[in-house]
Amino acid sequence: MKTLTQYKSGIGNDKFWNRLSQIIMISFLISGLVYAFSRANYTGESDDYMIASVSIQEHASLDIRSGDIDQLEKEFPGGLERVRETFEAGSYVKDVYGKQYPWYMGTYSISVLPVKTVTKFFNLPQTYVFHISNVLYYALALLVVYFYFNQTRKKIFLTILLLVCSPTFVYISWASAEFFICSLMIISLVFYTNGNRYLAALFASIAATLNIVIGAFGLIMIADYFISEYKQKGKETFLTVIRQNWKKTLGLAICFIPALITPLWNLYHYHKVTPQLDAAQFDVFLLRRFVAYLFDLNFGLLPYFPMLLILFFTIVIAGIYKKERQAIMLALGFFAVVLSYSVVGHINCGITAMARYNSWITPFLVITVVSQYDKLFKKIKTSNVIAVLLIISAGVTFASTKAVMDYNGGDYVHFTPVAKFFMDNAPAFYNPYPFTFINRLRHIDGGYDYNATLPFIYFSDDGFARKILFPPKCNDPMMFFDFNLSVEKNDTSRFEEQVRNIMASHRGDWAYLNINPKMTVTMKKDEITDYLSKLNNPDYLVIISVRDEASRNINDEIAHELSVIGLRQDLRGKYRQSYIAVIDSGSVVFEDLQNAVIKYAEVFGDVSVEVVSAGYLVGNVSDIKINGRNYSKNSRGLNIVIYSKKEKTVVDSVAFDTFDQLQCSR
């Protein structure tokens, strides 16, 4: 380990690199604090960490009490009403004794207490204590790199530059543990590459108290330790090696004790290793989530670290070829942690730009590449080229992160510019995790539509269909496409052939159809009168439900088309009234219009139908459930769902805003 005396002995070029490192660190501290004050929010699981900090300071325990919430509202006025609501609903995690606890161990909450104490001493508001702590702990991690990383001063500068120009920076604004965990992992990896397994294990273990998946790196460190000791002893048996090195082994084991605190606590309080165990999904999507965390163009590593990721894989391959153990172990630690958090099924939530879990493993990318490149590529020219590429990589990462934040603030329910670019121009090159596609296409949290029966269509901004996702339960989508797509005559046969091939090959799995940009497949923009004229079909079960207001723009022509399909209620002048109509094989079986919530339920053969309509003043909702699944667009105006009795599936769901400009939304 370098001492301060050794650091101060640097001369010549070292002074130049030291000065650059200092400038970068000071710039981070200033910009980080400015960002914290200007962008501070209570996103993610901030309520868990914030209530935990109050519980610890009030009664030195984690169980949540009503008095803690009173104190929380005094310290953090506004924005945390959900804490009281969650507590009163009994929705925090309950232990076997009936007490409510936050979902996470109190490590991060304890870490902010020094800043809380200082701000209280000076009678300052508590609003920013978590965000300031984020900046200070990351600055501390950078100082560890600066003073203790056993690398040349140039490589230390490269490490600091890459760590500062990281998309992790945006998580400063979260009152959540991502930045703290990342800081601990930086420190752990610095000591690991220095050869100090004890401190590496200690800091990784502290990080693991907040999320058990960090323990995967701990297992890699343990394996590395025993392999190293075994090789040094030559022909000794494995048990002999352990016996001869019991003091070192015990010392290392002690450093891993913090990682055991959380699971032992959980076993005592909840009788399970982690209360998030139900979120674990060892399913067919595990490897897809793993790949998504690495390469997805919305939240993966690739769009933010394109150059660094290439260099990382180059280092890994070279390390394996040259049998460089530390490079291999760092790579294994990286992949083990990513694979471990890929077990969590809820991948499409709580993200600002890059996936927040990825913030924990960005230090692996940086420190692996910086610490290993001159070991594996000993030619000075090659090393210099890599150093230049790393500087460029930092600029690319900063620019790509800024582009996403400028575009939509890192919003996790919309596609990023780079994802849209590939889907618009080369859709075959980007086939995202299916639920990420749904999540970003429909602008909803999660997007886990396991029971979907209709295709999901991505349209470019100019209205051209570019990518279609077929769910496993989609049988014959052509009727759906007839309602939703307009295909140029010359492209019709090709498009239909592509659909047939997909349907023949996807065999119960999710599948994409990528539409060549040279083909003309566009969104069908129906006029309401044309659409209504299609509903008088003996194969259709048609359900209509009004939400909000649907009368203002219904003219004589629309009223006539409604009467042609058998409807008798005149919606004109019925401002904000609720309305339901059900048409089976061309015959109206139910119709009601009134100033109250209307509910309807019926079974048609093997099809159950449940409908709700509520005008603006009586609930403002539209539900149209077919066999328990809600297909209503739940938009203002007329919501219409068409079920094909022949194909035994919903073939269209649409809404016409008959209050405003008769817009059609799908």
Side-chain angles (χ1 to χ4, degrees), residues 107 180-181 184-185 202-212 214:
T107 315
F180 182 64
I181 294 174
L184 291 169
M185 293 308 297
L202 179 62
F203 284 99
S205 295
I206 296 171
T209 62
L210 289 161
N211 202 301
I212 195 172
I214 303 295

Side-chain angles (χ1 to χ4, degrees), residues 132-380:
I132 294 170
S133 298
N134 288 342
V135 176
L136 295 180
Y137 280 114
Y138 204 76
L140 178 62
L142 295 177
L143 286 173
V144 171
V145 173
Y146 186 73
F147 286 117
Y148 294 109
F149 198 18
N150 284 344
Q151 304 291 328
T152 65
R153 303 313 301 178
K154 179 175 76 173
K155 293 177 76 174
I156 287 171
F157 160 73
L158 291 173
T159 304
I160 291 171
L161 177 66
L162 289 163
L163 290 172
V164 169
C165 296
S166 167
T168 303
F169 183 91
V170 303
Y171 286 103
I172 287 174
S173 63
W174 285 39
S176 196
E178 275 62 41
F179 225 68
F180 182 64
I181 294 174
C182 182
S183 303
L184 291 169
M185 293 308 297
I186 292 170
I187 298 171
S188 174
L189 287 164
V190 164
F191 288 122
Y192 179 73
T193 53
N194 287 353
N196 189 332
R197 292 190 179 91
Y198 302 104
L199 288 178
L202 179 62
F203 284 99
S205 295
I206 296 171
T209 62
L210 289 161
N211 202 301
I212 195 172
V213 303
I214 303 295
F217 178 49
L219 296 176
I220 299 299
M221 283 194 283
I222 292 170
D224 184 32
Y225 167 75
F226 284 117
I227 291 170
S228 174
E229 294 300 318
Y230 185 70
K231 283 189 173 182
Q232 289 179 19
K233 298 299 180 180
K235 296 182 179 180
E236 299 286 353
T237 65
F238 186 71
L239 290 176
T240 302
V241 170
I242 295 175
R243 189 166 55 250
Q244 291 176 348
N245 293 276
W246 70 269
K247 290 183 179 179
K248 290 171 63 177
T249 304
L250 179 62
L252 186 63
I254 291 172
C255 292
F256 278 113
I257 286 176
L260 300 176
I261 293 173
T262 299
L264 290 174
W265 163 279
N266 292 336
L267 285 170
Y268 175 76
H269 284 277
Y270 315 122
H271 292 178
K272 58 176 73 173
V273 173
T274 170
Q276 291 93 349
L277 192 61
D278 293 340
Q281 294 182 12
F282 295 92
D283 55 16
V284 295
F285 297 109
L286 174 60
L287 290 180
R288 294 190 191 184
R289 291 192 292 269
F290 174 78
V291 171
Y293 276 121
L294 297 180
F295 303 117
D296 184 81
L297 297 181
N298 295 290
F299 61 78
L301 293 170
L302 179 62
Y304 302 96
F305 297 101
M307 294 180 66
L308 187 61
L309 200 60
I310 292 170
L311 289 170
F312 174 77
F313 280 109
T314 303
I315 293 294
V316 171
I317 293 169
I320 294 171
Y321 178 75
K322 296 186 177 183
K323 299 180 180 179
E324 177 60 49
R325 193 178 79 242
Q326 190 172 80
I328 294 170
M329 290 299 173
L330 285 167
L332 287 174
F334 170 85
F335 290 119
V337 174
V338 177
L339 184 63
S340 296
Y341 61 66
S342 299
V343 170
V344 179
H346 202 8
I347 190 174
N348 301 311
C349 70
I351 294 172
T352 299
M354 183 182 72
R356 59 195 175 103
Y357 290 173
N358 277 354
S359 65
W360 309 342
I361 49 92
T362 54
F364 279 96
L365 289 179
V366 173
I367 290 175
T368 300
V369 174
V370 173
S371 68
Q372 303 299 311
Y373 75 80
D374 59 352
K375 292 183 185 178
L376 299 167
F377 303 100
K378 298 186 182 297
K379 291 183 179 180
I380 295 177

Side-chain angles (χ1 to χ4, degrees), residues 424-611:
D424 290 348
N425 300 284
F429 284 92
Y430 177 51
N431 293 319
Y433 183 58
F435 305 119
T436 297
F437 184 77
I438 298 170
N439 143 246
R440 306 241 171 187
L441 182 70
R442 294 290 177 84
H443 315 310
I444 56 175
D445 185 280
Y448 309 112
D449 201 345
Y450 292 97
N451 296 313
T453 58
L454 299 178
F456 299 90
I457 307 173
Y458 168 78
F459 294 95
S460 61
D461 290 340
D462 51 3
F464 290 92
R466 289 289 174 256
K467 200 173 196 70
I468 302 175
L469 174 63
F470 292 85
K473 296 182 180 181
C474 178
N475 295 319
D476 186 356
M478 293 310 299
M479 294 181 69
F480 174 78
F481 293 147
D482 287 342
F483 278 103
N484 286 265
L485 297 176
S486 294
V487 184
E488 187 79 15
K489 187 175 181 180
N490 294 335
D491 296 320
T492 300
S493 59
R494 183 180 176 188
F495 176 74
E496 290 178 351
E497 182 183 2
Q498 286 182 316
V499 173
R500 286 194 298 270
N501 290 339
I502 288 289
M503 297 308 298
S505 62
H506 80 138
R507 295 180 181 178
D509 194 6
W510 296 83
Y512 282 106
L513 189 156
N514 299 300
I515 301 173
N516 191 311
K518 294 181 180 180
M519 294 175 62
T520 304
V521 182
T522 59
M523 182 187 300
K524 184 170 286 187
K525 297 179 180 179
D526 283 300
E527 296 290 337
I528 185 170
T529 51
D530 294 336
Y531 191 87
L532 292 172
S533 68
K534 301 176 184 178
L535 302 185
N536 196 358
N537 187 314
D539 179 45
Y540 292 164
L541 176 63
V542 180
I543 304 104
I544 302 173
S545 167
V546 162
R547 176 190 168 185
D548 193 341
E549 209 296 299
S551 67
R552 193 176 77 169
N553 257 356
I554 291 186
N555 54 34
D556 292 344
E557 187 179 4
I558 297 171
H560 173 70
E561 289 297 334
L562 289 168
S563 68
V564 168
I565 60 175
L567 301 177
R568 294 292 172 258
Q569 295 284 357
D570 188 349
L571 299 183
R572 289 172 292 187
K574 306 302 190 296
Y575 187 65
R576 289 181 172 173
Q577 291 196 23
S578 309
Y579 176 74
I580 289 176
V582 180
I583 306 170
D584 182 21
S585 300
S587 299
V588 178
V589 297
F590 181 83
E591 186 180 19
D592 194 11
L593 173 70
Q594 55 179 287
N595 282 312
V597 178
I598 305 172
K599 296 183 179 181
Y600 172 82
E602 189 57 82
V603 176
F604 298 84
D606 56 356
V607 181
S608 67
V609 174
E610 299 173 74
V611 191

Side-chain angles (χ1 to χ4, degrees), residues 35 39 164-170 303-304 352-354 394-411 416-417:
Y35 193 84
R39 298 289 188 94
V164 169
C165 296
S166 167
T168 303
F169 183 91
V170 303
Y304 302 96
T352 299
M354 183 182 72
V396 170
T397 297
F398 177 84
S400 60
T401 305
K402 187 176 186 304
V404 171
M405 295 301 292
D406 289 346
Y407 179 70
N408 61 10
D411 184 359
T416 59

